[in-house]
Each structure stands twice: as C-alpha cells, then as structure tokens.
Amino acid sequence: MNKISLLFLALWANTLCLAQSPRQTFQETINEEDLRKHLTYIASDELGGRDTGSEGQKKAAEYITNHLSALGITPIVRDQMGKMSFQQKIELYKNGWKESYVVINGKKKVFFNDYFPVGMINIPVEKEIETVFVGYGIQSETSNDYLNKSVKGKAVILIENEPKNKAGKYLSSNSDNSDWIGSPGLKKKQKIAADLGADFVFVVSLADSDQFKTLNAERKAVLSRFNRLAIEKSKPESPSVTSAVPTFIISKNMAAEMLGISQKKLEEKIANPENKLKTKKSTIKIKSERGEDTIETANIMGFLEGTDKKDEVVIISAHYDHVGTDDKGRIHNGADDDGSGTCALLELAEAYSKAKAAGNGPRRSILFLWVTGEEKGLLGSKYYTDINPIIRLEKTVCDLNIDMIGRIDKKHESNQNYVYLIGSDKLSSELHSISENVNKETINFELDYEFNDPKDPNRFYYRSDHYNFAKNKIPVIFYFTGVHEDYHKPGDDVEKILFTKYSKITQLVFATSWELANRSERIIVDSNKP
Ligand SMILES: [Zn+2]
C-alpha cells in the first residue's frame, strides 16, 4: 500500500468518526463477541456456580480484576497493608452444626443420616449417657410406659406415634382417637420426659430406610435455612433452643443398636405392640456442636475518574455471585443470573476506558461495582452502602443496576426487543425522562414498567442490589428481562443467552450512564414513590 492511499484512508476514517457523537462511537465498542467471550468463562462449570465465598467465585473475582488492570482502571480500595486494591474484602458469618455424632458401642452414627435433630440442638461438649427404653413414651390415666423406670439424667428411647390393639383401637385409651401421634403427640411425649428429668429423647422413626433418607434430606434443607450468611456475628445460641428436652429422630437400625437387640426383634415389637420387649442397658456418647464459620468474600470495584465534575459519581452495578452447586452435584452456572450483568459491566468498563484514552472521558466519575452475596440477601451491596461506602453516598449520583438481561420471559416471546425498568421514577423524575429519551435516541426498545408498579406482587424493586442505594435516597434504575424456566436452576447456561438483545441493553445502560455522567446538572431527587 502506498502513502497516498494510506492518507486517504486515514481521512476517510476520521470523517466517519466525526459523523458520530463520541457516545455513539464508544457505545458501539460494546459487542456480542466480547460479551460471549466473557460470559463463556464466567458461566463455565470451572467456576462451579460462583457461590459466595467459594473457590469458583474467587476465580470470577480474579477474572474481573485482571480485566480492570488491563484496561488501566483505577483501584480505589485501600487494603490492610495500605495498598490500593480492586477488592473490598468482606467477612460473612454463618451458623451451623460442626462436630455432631452419637457413639454406640464404639460405633459412630452419622448426623443427618442415621439420625437428625428436632430443632437447633447445641451440645458443645461430648456427653456420656445411659439409655432407657420406654416403649411409646405414653403416660396417661389409663396407661404408663414409665412404670418402674427411672429416667432422671438419662436418655429415653421411645417409638413414635401410638399403636393400635387387635381390635383396631388405640392402645392407651382403647378408643378411636389418640393424642400421641404426629407432632402434637411428640410434644406431649417430650414434656413428660422432661418433667421426669430425662436429658435427651430419641424417637424411633417408623419410616422404612428409603423414607428415612427422604426425611433426613427434608429436615436438613429446612434447618439449613436458619444457617444463613450474615454480615454481622450473631449472638451465641443457647443450648437446644426449640424443645423442652433435646430430641433426635433415629432410624430403626440405630434404635436396635442402642437397645442391644436385632432390628428384627424391634420390628416384631412394632408389629405386636402389646408384647414385652427385652432390651439391654447401654451407654452412648453424644455431641452436637453448633458454631459460627467465617466466610471470606469481596466486592470488586474499579474507578474511572471524571474530568471537571469528578467528585460526583455514577455507579453501575451487578452481582457476580450465584447459588453454586446443589445437593445433587448439579452446577448452577447462572449465565443470566447474574453472569449477564457481570459481563455487561466488563464491557461497560472497557467502553469508558477507551473513551477516556481517546480524550472523551466522562465529566463525572464512574464506579463499576461487582457485588457479592446478592443471592444470600443482598449482602455485598448492603455492606457497601451500610458499612463501608468507598464513595460517600452524598456524592453518589445514581446506581444503574443490571441483574438478568440475557433472556426473555413468557410475556415477550413474540418481541425480544424489550427490557423491564424498575425504580427509574421512584426518586427522580429527571432520571426517568433521561432514561426514556436516551432509549428513544439509541436502541429504541420497549421499556416495560409492569414490575415498577408498587402493587406488583413480585416486589422486584426490593429484591436486587439497587435497593440498598434507593433506601439511601440515591436514584436507581434496575435493568431486567424477567424470570424464565431456568431461573435458579441448573439450566441457566450460556447457550441460552440471546446475545443480540443482551448487547443492545448493555449499550442502553452505557448511553444512559453517559448522559448522567456528562450533563451539566446533577439529576435532582424530587420524589419518593413506593
Ligand atoms: Zn440475580
């Protein structure tokens, strides 16, 4: 190629640039190929579903920080050594059972396998205790399973519910009704054992081994809901907070070992409840320690300094955690939730850094904020706004939050070109009109406000990270394309992402933030809608 044609080409390229506004030029650097490249990694199995505090999430954090470094974006978190970092380290706390077991004749029984607790039982130090079998544990005017038995300071073993006699009547009352079945029956039995001074109750489950497995899994899931991650340390739990006497449900197999008989003998007793059962005394060891684990995670942020209005900051946020891998070993890759927001932010950071390098940097500063712990209750954004806002909240102009913009929902199957906007009019009417105008001038998508209605039962306004800004009267827009059949399921994969629309919505966020960062006056907070 000769020099003349090179010069001509340069002039031609220059004219092209002049035809476009800088906003358009840099908006167009956001493209499907880059988004696909980023999301293919962020939503890969290698990251294991990016559960908060997991190794996979740390890999995502590393990917984001490497990207920010390469773009020349500024780290603004001062770490403990005084060095500037992209990561705002956060310690989260989680309550749960630590060492828990029962030892019978030197054999260790497995927690949530051979037995499970009724409520949050805490036995921090191993106890050695004698057991006493008390049949069905019934004590009434007509029947007494505790006759001639001393249970004070011991562990009672009793069979659940109440059996019927040969005539089909309940055994203790010889009637058609029983007070001793189900959970009210168990409560009565627990109270009797506690009143007689028993230290523990072991309830023999009548479930067969498959049913017992299911019961274990269900109970584990229910109780783990109380083991949520939290920003603050919890108060110490008192021992066995929920029942009168610490109570465990045990399998027939475990019961037989505790009673020193074969499981067959126990089954015979259950089939013929009026028969006597000869059992051996035994001594068991038990421990069921609850405690707090610390989980280390981080918010990630990169700062792009503005020019003449650099003290005012526009935040663009997304959460980079997801729900991890489930009990069945299935990885929830969270490509849409919120891999889409995570990677949109990578592209936005790139577009702005290119603009700045070309001398078109924004007047206000931009903070790109990837928060952690969203799926655990918006913890990372709460930590940022409530505990350690790196940019003072008064200087924060707005938060544009992206959470799930890569799919379509049922309502929009015939028109992909839409996005739900939530929150845009709640605190600032200006923000709302800017958002509308920018959309018209750029991608011209349908802006769907269905979920912005305070009467909408989904209450999405309160359900992603922008809310922690909104509650501090910082105007927000939440960008969202709705829920779909793979929401919080293993099928939320990169193959199902609609990159064309995803790329356009990312461009809309860019164009909107560009206007907010470059206009002469900071947007005004003039309303407070629910
Ligand atoms: Zn999400």
Side-chain angles (χ1 to χ4, degrees):
M1 187 185 286
N2 64 47
K3 276 186 180 168
I4 295 171
S5 62
L6 193 67
L7 182 70
F8 176 77
L9 253 182
L11 276 173
W12 179 69
N14 202 23
T15 322
L16 251 190
C17 281
L18 285 178
Q20 280 191 325
S21 69
R23 192 214 72 217
Q24 266 176 305
T25 305
F26 299 105
Q27 178 186 315
E28 282 166 15
T29 68
I30 293 167
N31 64 72
E32 294 178 37
E33 291 69 36
D34 286 359
L35 288 169
R36 187 186 295 276
K37 183 190 80 189
H38 294 314
L39 192 55
T40 300
Y41 178 72
I42 290 293
S44 66
D45 286 355
E46 191 188 333
L47 274 61
R50 308 187 302 281
D51 195 14
T52 294
S54 68
E55 281 312 304
Q57 194 203 19
K58 290 188 170 77
K59 284 184 185 170
E62 196 184 321
Y63 186 86
I64 296 165
T65 52
N66 287 345
H67 184 74
L68 292 174
S69 291
L71 294 175
I73 294 218
T74 314
I76 53 158
V77 185
R78 192 174 293 280
D79 71 14
Q80 284 175 327
M81 310 299 286
K83 260 183 66 187
M84 298 314 280
S85 167
F86 290 115
Q87 300 203 13
Q88 177 178 47
K89 302 266 187 216
I90 303 175
E91 284 190 343
L92 297 173
Y93 305 100
K94 186 188 173 108
N95 276 322
W97 275 286
K98 304 198 139 184
E99 209 180 8
S100 294
Y101 57 79
V102 170
V103 179
I104 310 165
N105 299 325
K107 272 163 72 185
K108 223 174 213 183
K109 292 290 159 189
V110 180
F111 197 48
F112 283 116
N113 183 53
D114 298 305
Y115 71 108
F116 59 83
V118 178
M120 301 298 189
I121 295 170
N122 183 19
I123 309 164
V125 181
E126 184 185 276
K127 280 193 180 170
E128 199 164 334
I129 192 155
E130 203 180 302
T131 63
V132 189
F133 180 61
V134 294
Y136 283 82
I138 291 171
Q139 193 181 52
S140 67
E141 281 166 17
T142 50
S143 175
N144 186 5
D145 287 336
Y146 285 88
L147 195 66
N148 299 326
K149 282 177 181 161
S150 153
V151 300
K152 197 170 167 49
K154 295 178 187 169
V156 302
I157 301 170
L158 54 86
I159 304 169
E160 73 171 332
N161 293 344
E162 179 176 7
K164 288 178 176 172
N165 60 25
K166 294 213 167 66
K169 305 276 185 195
Y170 282 108
L171 206 57
S172 72
S173 57
N174 197 29
S175 74
D176 292 328
N177 299 309
S178 171
D179 295 338
W180 305 97
I181 53 179
S183 102
L186 175 59
K187 283 215 175 76
K188 280 188 76 166
K189 292 181 183 185
Q190 284 177 303
K191 183 162 189 316
I192 291 164
D195 289 349
L196 293 170
D199 278 358
F200 297 98
V201 173
F202 289 93
V203 180
V204 183
S205 169
L206 295 174
D208 67 30
S209 69
D210 276 353
Q211 291 167 330
F212 194 73
K213 262 188 207 143
T214 310
L215 277 178
N216 258 307
E218 282 170 4
R219 199 45 74 103
K220 195 173 183 180
V222 167
L223 291 175
S224 70
R225 278 185 218 139
F226 295 95
N227 302 339
R228 289 191 68 121
L229 280 173
I231 292 180
E232 268 139 36
K233 278 180 183 278
S234 59
K235 295 184 197 90
E237 290 176 358
S238 56
S240 51
V241 280
T242 51
S243 52
V245 51
T247 300
F248 298 90
I249 311 292
I250 62 177
S251 68
K252 282 186 259 189
N253 178 281
M254 176 165 164
E257 287 186 42
M258 284 171 107
L259 298 169
I261 57 171
S262 67
Q263 191 175 330
K264 195 164 159 258
K265 275 252 150 38
L266 179 62
E267 307 260 12
E268 279 169 17
K269 161 74 181 170
I270 291 165
N272 305 286
E274 285 161 288
N275 290 3
K276 275 251 172 288
L277 180 67
K278 241 186 109 57
T279 59
K280 294 192 188 112
K281 264 191 192 165
S282 72
T283 301
I284 59 159
K285 290 176 185 157
I286 184 167
K287 184 172 178 181
S288 207
E289 182 191 10
R290 284 185 65 79
E292 197 160 52
D293 283 327
T294 303
I295 286 160
E296 286 177 0
T297 182
N299 289 330
I300 303 168
M301 60 196 86
F303 187 71
L304 187 120
E305 192 175 64
T307 55
D308 61 320
K309 293 178 183 293
K310 64 181 178 192
D311 288 345
E312 295 174 6
V313 180
V314 170
I315 294 184
I316 314 177
S317 60
H319 70 90
Y320 77 104
D321 66 298
H322 191 53
V323 298
T325 302
D326 66 20
D327 292 347
K328 294 181 180 128
R330 298 175 305 183
I331 301 171
H332 293 233
N333 285 318
D336 191 27
D337 184 10
D338 186 22
S340 63
T342 299
C343 298
L345 229 54
L346 294 171
E347 274 294 85
L348 287 159
E350 186 170 338
Y352 271 106
S353 69
K354 282 178 175 160
K356 190 172 175 174
N360 285 303
R363 298 176 70 187
R364 294 185 178 80
S365 300
I366 313 277
L367 183 72
F368 304 97
L369 176 62
W370 289 262
V371 292
T372 184
E374 192 271 354
E375 305 285 9
K376 309 293 182 207
L378 317 183
L379 298 180
S381 53
K382 189 170 156 67
Y383 184 88
Y384 180 90
T385 59
D386 296 11
I387 295 178
N388 191 9
I390 301 295
I391 305 294
R392 280 165 51 205
L393 295 180
E394 312 86 82
K395 294 292 183 191
T396 303
V397 174
C398 61
D399 171 44
L400 305 185
N401 184 47
I402 309 169
D403 192 355
M404 299 171 66
I405 55 165
R407 299 275 296 259
I408 52 168
D409 65 2
K410 280 250 149 34
K411 179 180 173 186
H412 297 87
E413 268 164 359
S414 58
N415 172 27
Q416 292 192 9
N417 295 337
Y418 75 96
V419 57
Y420 291 106
L421 296 192
I422 300 164
S424 60
D425 67 337
K426 304 268 188 213
L427 291 158
S428 168
S429 50
E430 253 179 322
L431 177 62
H432 184 71
S433 58
I434 289 167
S435 158
E436 294 244 299
N437 290 337
V438 169
N439 175 58
K440 271 187 213 117
E441 289 161 18
T442 56
I443 67 167
N444 204 20
F445 267 27
E446 177 202 337
L447 303 181
D448 190 325
Y449 294 103
E450 179 183 335
F451 298 132
N452 194 51
D453 185 339
K455 290 190 222 74
D456 183 81
N458 291 294
R459 295 172 64 82
F460 287 122
Y461 182 53
Y462 304 92
R463 282 177 51 188
S464 186
D465 298 298
H466 55 274
Y467 182 68
N468 282 318
F469 291 93
K471 74 180 186 193
N472 285 297
K473 304 282 177 289
I474 295 167
V476 304
I477 304 178
F478 170 25
Y479 296 85
F480 176 53
T481 47
V483 292
H484 44 77
E485 68 275 14
D486 294 313
Y487 174 67
H488 281 207
K489 297 239 165 66
D492 183 3
D493 284 323
V494 68
E495 291 77 19
K496 295 175 189 161
I497 296 295
L498 303 166
F499 280 94
T500 304
K501 67 165 300 184
Y502 167 26
S503 170
K504 286 200 169 156
I505 295 169
T506 308
Q507 291 186 346
L508 174 64
V509 178
F510 177 82
T512 308
S513 63
W514 182 274
E515 172 61 21
L516 291 162
N518 281 303
R519 66 204 309 273
S520 313
E521 299 302 320
R522 174 178 171 166
I523 53 164
I524 293 167
V525 175
D526 59 359
S527 63
N528 189 14
K529 295 182 187 169

